Every structure is written in structure tokens, then in C-alpha cells.
């Protein structure tokens, strides 16, 4: 039996393993084979140390799946591009796509077969699942809806009213037509009403305004975690945090006024814990360690990144408090190393790593797979892209190309 077959058989039988000889490129191949071999109702989670590695693995996974990727749902749940204590506007595209990813994880009929994420993504606390589902709904052709009420609900869910809908998180109302860009989809939606009845739903090209595809159902989910919910509780938490930081009372009242206006502004993500009773963790969305297949690529590197991120969060929090700026403790934004410590020793997680350990971690079954990394190949391809010079094609196998892929219609 080949080591790859042993690896797949062990996972199918529910045995935790410690697999050595696995590099970034071969990890994508192994995961693709696992997804082909395992039943559709058995989800998997792949955890890595860095966001750049998650992006590379997502691209390579789609390549190795080939035609099967149309039937196998993947989700790369990106990490925030800034920490919650920065006075910098985060990338809105990343925020929107992260909310779309949370919606997919929370929806039984949209859940991915494999969720790929970095430790920074897993650490960050998220919108409570109950709040996400409460703020989400479906619209079917033939439904009766109140156009003005729909607009109010979209504003409450974080959508911005805009003359033209060009980016995810925007909507517009023109007579009997509601244009809406839900991050779950690649293209915006046009909902046409006849009176109060939904006459049609279709995707359209925002540049050419032409119909791309008609739909029977539109799914709508919140697009930010800081949508205003319980005003009284929010004010209470903001005032308490302001007192802890000795923040000037006038500035605190001005901040609350800006929040209640409902818009987004630089630094609002710092206040996200105040918008909810308590933020959830991604463990409230992801399959449990018992019910899913959890794979950790290079746990030593994951642990190092976890410790570094936690240390930086504590330093940034203290800097804000020392400068009399409102802040919430790191534990309200992140899972701590103690919260995540069971991942390394849990009997249900499988470890993938390049180097072979003399003594396996925990009770995992040791297995070695001989593979090579493709760092040299990647270097050749990068040089080719930059200089368009000749490449030694005898050393480049077609299976290693994974860039020229069609875009998916949805997240």
C-alpha cells in the first residue's frame, strides 16, 4: 500500500496521524485526494501558519481538483489585513468576503467541503452566529416584499445606499428595481418588482448592465460585524471602555453619535465587541474536532505565529490605553494561546509537516511520505512572468501550473 493510500485510509477510518515529508505543494495534492475519497457530508478544515500560505494552497487545491472543483466547495476564509487596534481602514473587500464565508459556514446547504484558513483567521473572534442568521434572509420569485422596508433592512445589515451598484456591500433603489451586491455572489443582483411582488431576480454585469443569469432565489446576509443592534448595551460598553482608558467624555459622546448615524469610519472595527453581548469564535461555525477532519500544516510554525499575534495584540492594547484611546482587551477580539492549546494534542487532529519527528506528538500514528517542494519551480515561473525569458520546460510538469483558471461565480 502506498503512503498516500495509507494516509487516506487512516483518515477515512477516523485515525489521527502525524505525517512527515509534506510540503506546501504536496499538502494541496493530499487534500485534493482526500476530498475526492471522502463522503460529501464529512467536512474538513486545513489550518496553516500564514495567510500567504493559505492563498497558495487555495490556488493549488483548485488546480489539483481539476474538473471536480465544480462539485467540491472550497472556502478560503481570509484573515483581517490589520489588527483591531490600528487606526487604519481595513480592506473592505476582505471584510465583505469574510462575512460571505461566515454565511456559508452557517448555512447547511452552502457549507464548504473544506475550509482553509490561517491561524490569524482562526484566532479572530467573529459576529455571533445567531446574529448572522437573524440578519440573513432569502427572497424568492413570487414573494411579496415592502421595497422601503427592504432598504431599511439592508442599511441595518451594513449595506451602503449608492446611486450605482459596483462593489460588494452596495445597493440602490430606483422605482420598482432594487440593485444589490451581496458578497456571496460574484455579480450583483437585480430584483424587479410588480407592485409588491418579486417578478424576477437576476445577476447582471455592472459595467454593461446586461443580464448574466436568472435566479429563483436571492440570499442576503450582513456585510459587517458592527451593524447597530442593542443601542443601550452599546452605549454602556463604550462608556465603560472610555472610563478604563480615561477617554475624554466629550469625545466619547461624539463617537457614540457617529456610531448611531449608522455609517462606517476609521477605527470602528476596534469597537466591534461593544456591538454584541459576546463575539463568537470560529469554532461556533466550523465543524467540531470530533465531527470534521482537522489537518494542521506545520503546527510548530502555527504555534509561533499564534504566540506572536497574541503578544502583539497585548502590546497594541496597552499602547491605546496608555494614550487614553478606547480599546477592548485582546481576549474580546482574539482566542488566546490557552484557548487553542488543545488543537496540538487533540486526538482528532492530523499533523502534516516536512520534517520527520523522532517521537510522534500525542497518540497520532506516524507516517512518512516522500515528496519534494516546488520552490524552484515557483521561482522559475515568477522569473518567466517578470522577464518572459525562456524556461527549461523539460523540468516543468504541466500539473504544476495553477494560475490560468476560470473565476468562480460565487465565493
Amino acid at each position: 500500500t502506498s503512503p498516500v493510500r495509507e494516509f487516506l485510509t487512516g483518515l477515512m477510518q477516523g485515525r489521527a496521524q502525524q505525517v512527515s515529508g509534506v510540503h506546501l505543494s504536496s499538502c494541496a495534492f493530499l487534500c485534493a485526494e482526500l476530498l475526492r475519497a471522502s463522503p460529501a457530508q464529512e467536512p474538513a478544515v486545513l489550518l496553516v501558519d500564514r495567510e500567504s500560505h493559505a492563498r497558495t494552497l487555495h490556488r493549488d487545491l483548485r488546480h489539483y481538483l481539476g474538473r471536480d472543483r465544480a462539485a467540491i466547495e472550497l472556502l478560503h476564509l481570509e484573515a483581517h489585513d490589520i489588527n483591531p487596534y490600528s487606526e487604519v481602514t481595513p480592506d473592505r473587500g476582505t471584510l465583505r468576503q469574510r462575512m460571505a464565508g461566515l454565511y456559508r459556514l452557517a448555512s447547511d446547504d452552502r457549507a464548504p467541503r473544506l475550509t482553509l484558513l490561517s491561524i490569524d483567521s482562526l484566532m479572530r473572534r467573529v459576529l455571533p452566529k445567531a446574529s448572522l442568521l437573524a440578519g440573513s434572509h432569502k427572497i424568492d420569485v413570487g414573494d411579496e416584499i415592502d421595497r422601503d422596508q427592504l432598504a431599511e433592512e439592508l442599511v441595518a445589515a451594513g449595506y451602503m445606499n449608492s446611486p450605482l451598484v459596483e462593489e460588494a456591500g452596495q445597493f440602490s433603489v430606483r422605482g420598482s428595481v432594487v440593485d444589490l451586491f451581496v458578497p456571496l455572489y460574484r455579480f450583483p443582483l437585480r430584483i424587479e418588482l410588480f407592485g409588491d411582488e418579486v417578478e424576477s431576480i437576476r445577476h447582471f454585469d455592472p459595467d454593461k448592465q446586461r443580464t448574466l443569469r436568472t435566479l429563483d432565489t436571492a440570499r442576503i446576509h450582513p456585510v459587517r460585524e458592527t451593524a447597530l443592534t442593542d443601542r443601550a448595551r452599546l452605549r454602556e460598553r463604550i462608556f465603560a471602555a472610555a472610563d478604563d482608558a480615561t477617554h475624554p467624555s466629550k469625545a466619547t459622546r461624539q463617537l457614540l453619535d457617529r456610531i448611531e448615524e449608522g455609517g462606517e469610519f476609521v477605527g470602528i472595527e476596534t469597537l466591534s465587541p461593544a456591538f454584541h453581548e459576546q463575539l463568537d469564535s470560529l469554532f461556533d461555525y466550523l465543524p467540531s474536532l470530533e465531527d470534521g477532519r482537522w489537518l494542521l500544516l506545520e503546527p510548530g510554525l502555527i504555534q509561533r505565529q499564534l504566540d506572536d499575534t497574541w503578544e502583539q495584540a497585548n502590546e497594541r492594547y496597552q499602547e491605546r490605553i496608555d494614550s487614553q484611546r478606547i480599546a477592548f482587551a485582546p481576549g474580546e477580539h482574539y482566542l488566546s494561546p490557552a484557548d487553542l492549546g488543545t488543537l496540538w494534542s487533540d486526538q482528532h487532529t492530523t499533523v502534516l509537516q516536512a520534517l520527520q519527528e523522532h517521537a510522534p506528538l500525542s497518540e497520532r500514528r506516524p507516517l512518512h511520505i516522500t515528496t519534494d517542494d516546488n520552490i524552484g519551480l515557483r521561482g522559475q515561473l515568477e522569473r518567466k512572468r517578470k522577464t518572459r525569458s525562456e524556461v527549461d520546460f523539460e523540468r516543468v510538469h504541466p500539473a504544476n501550473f495553477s494560475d490560468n483558471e476560470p473565476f468562480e461565480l460565487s465565493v
Side-chain angles (χ1 to χ4, degrees):
T1 304
S2 72
V4 171
R5 183 55 53 190
E6 285 187 52
F7 165 74
L8 296 175
T9 301
L11 283 181
M12 297 290 286
Q13 294 175 351
R15 296 199 305 265
Q17 301 174 84
Q18 182 170 332
V19 187
S20 57
V22 179
H23 302 274
L24 199 63
S25 52
S26 51
C27 177
F29 170 77
L30 290 174
C31 288
E33 292 301 301
L34 171 63
L35 290 172
R36 287 193 181 98
S38 60
Q41 66 272 21
E42 295 184 4
V45 179
L46 175 59
L47 181 64
V48 299
D49 63 320
R50 290 173 12 205
E51 194 60 33
S52 60
H53 289 164
R55 285 192 294 269
T56 298
L57 280 166
H58 183 243
R59 183 190 64 193
D60 289 354
L61 258 168
R62 293 181 68 248
H63 166 70
Y64 282 121
L65 285 172
R67 295 177 180 176
D68 292 333
R69 69 174 178 267
I72 297 177
E73 293 274 355
L74 300 178
L75 171 63
H76 171 205
L77 192 66
E78 292 188 56
H80 291 275
D81 60 327
I82 63 169
N83 73 68
Y85 301 111
S86 299
E87 294 288 353
V88 178
T89 301
D91 180 71
R92 296 302 177 196
T94 300
L95 292 178
R96 307 295 191 235
Q97 294 306 317
R98 190 168 167 87
M99 293 298 292
L102 292 178
Y103 176 77
R104 286 182 58 187
L105 289 170
S107 305
D108 293 336
D109 58 345
R110 292 285 305 195
R113 288 281 305 283
L114 181 140
T115 302
L116 172 63
L117 70 167
S118 66
I119 186 61
D120 281 349
S121 181
L122 181 63
M123 288 180 71
R124 195 72 172 262
R125 292 189 178 275
V126 294
L127 177 75
K129 185 176 180 180
S131 298
L132 175 71
L133 293 175
S136 304
H137 57 281
K138 299 179 183 178
I139 296 177
D140 296 320
V141 172
D143 283 352
E144 289 193 356
I145 63 173
D146 183 302
R147 186 199 66 175
D148 295 336
Q149 182 180 343
L150 174 61
E152 291 176 3
E153 291 173 350
L154 291 174
V155 171
Y159 289 83
M160 296 179 62
N161 196 341
S162 176
L164 289 176
V165 172
E166 300 175 304
E167 298 180 358
Q170 295 179 334
F171 80 98
S172 72
V173 179
R174 302 187 315 279
S176 61
V177 175
V178 179
D179 286 347
L180 168 66
F181 205 152
V182 182
L184 183 68
Y185 303 109
R186 181 173 178 189
F187 295 101
L189 298 167
R190 177 159 291 160
I191 302 172
E192 295 183 327
L193 304 175
F194 183 75
D196 288 339
E197 182 179 341
V198 177
E199 189 174 45
S200 68
I201 304 171
R202 55 193 173 97
H203 284 301
F204 70 94
D205 184 325
D207 295 323
K208 300 179 180 179
Q209 294 293 305
R210 63 184 179 89
T211 298
L212 299 175
R213 194 178 84 175
T214 59
L215 301 174
D216 295 324
T217 301
R219 299 164 180 263
I220 302 173
H221 60 79
V223 294
R224 59 187 174 98
E225 297 179 341
T226 52
L228 193 55
T229 51
D230 186 339
R231 294 174 183 269
R233 174 164 177 76
L234 180 135
R235 294 179 68 86
E236 178 184 331
R237 294 216 64 194
I238 293 292
F239 276 125
D243 288 343
D244 290 340
T246 60
H247 191 67
S249 57
K250 181 179 179 180
T252 302
R253 288 193 295 271
Q254 291 173 341
L255 174 64
L256 284 167
D257 289 342
R258 295 186 70 185
I259 292 173
E260 293 186 358
E261 289 172 0
E264 294 182 274
F265 53 87
V266 175
I268 191 171
E269 284 74 23
T270 300
L271 310 173
S272 57
F275 286 79
H276 308 280
E277 183 73 27
Q278 183 176 356
L279 293 174
D280 276 356
S281 80
L282 278 175
F283 288 106
D284 295 299
Y285 286 83
L286 293 166
S288 68
L289 296 175
E290 294 80 10
D291 296 333
R293 294 191 173 95
W294 279 70
L295 299 98
L296 315 180
L297 179 62
E298 298 291 357
L301 297 180
I302 293 173
Q303 179 72 63
R304 184 184 306 168
Q305 182 65 31
L306 167 63
D307 293 338
D308 288 347
T309 299
W310 182 250
E311 181 180 352
Q312 290 171 13
N314 279 276
E315 291 174 355
R316 296 293 180 85
Y317 167 70
Q318 194 58 52
E319 288 172 3
R320 286 188 66 93
I321 295 298
D322 292 344
S323 59
Q324 298 183 325
R325 291 180 293 168
I326 295 175
F328 290 89
E332 298 213 49
H333 287 287
Y334 292 100
L335 295 179
S336 70
D339 294 326
L340 292 165
T342 57
L343 275 178
W344 325 129
S345 58
D346 194 280
Q347 61 179 338
H348 299 286
T349 58
T350 286
V351 166
L352 307 174
Q353 56 194 37
L355 299 179
Q356 191 169 7
E357 298 281 352
H358 294 296
L361 299 170
S362 185
E363 299 299 321
R364 297 182 181 90
R365 177 176 176 269
L367 179 66
H368 182 74
I369 298 176
T370 303
T371 65
D372 291 325
D373 63 46
N374 62 1
I375 294 175
L377 171 64
R378 288 185 187 279
Q380 276 190 301
L381 292 175
E382 286 299 324
R383 288 193 294 274
K384 174 65 176 177
R385 292 187 188 101
K386 293 177 180 178
T387 65
R388 296 189 178 277
S389 61
E390 290 297 322
V391 176
D392 180 4
F393 284 100
E394 291 183 358
R395 297 178 59 195
V396 180
H397 191 280
N400 289 303
F401 286 90
S402 58
D403 288 338
N404 299 322
E405 307 236 16
F407 289 107
E408 294 173 304
L409 285 178
S410 61
V411 181

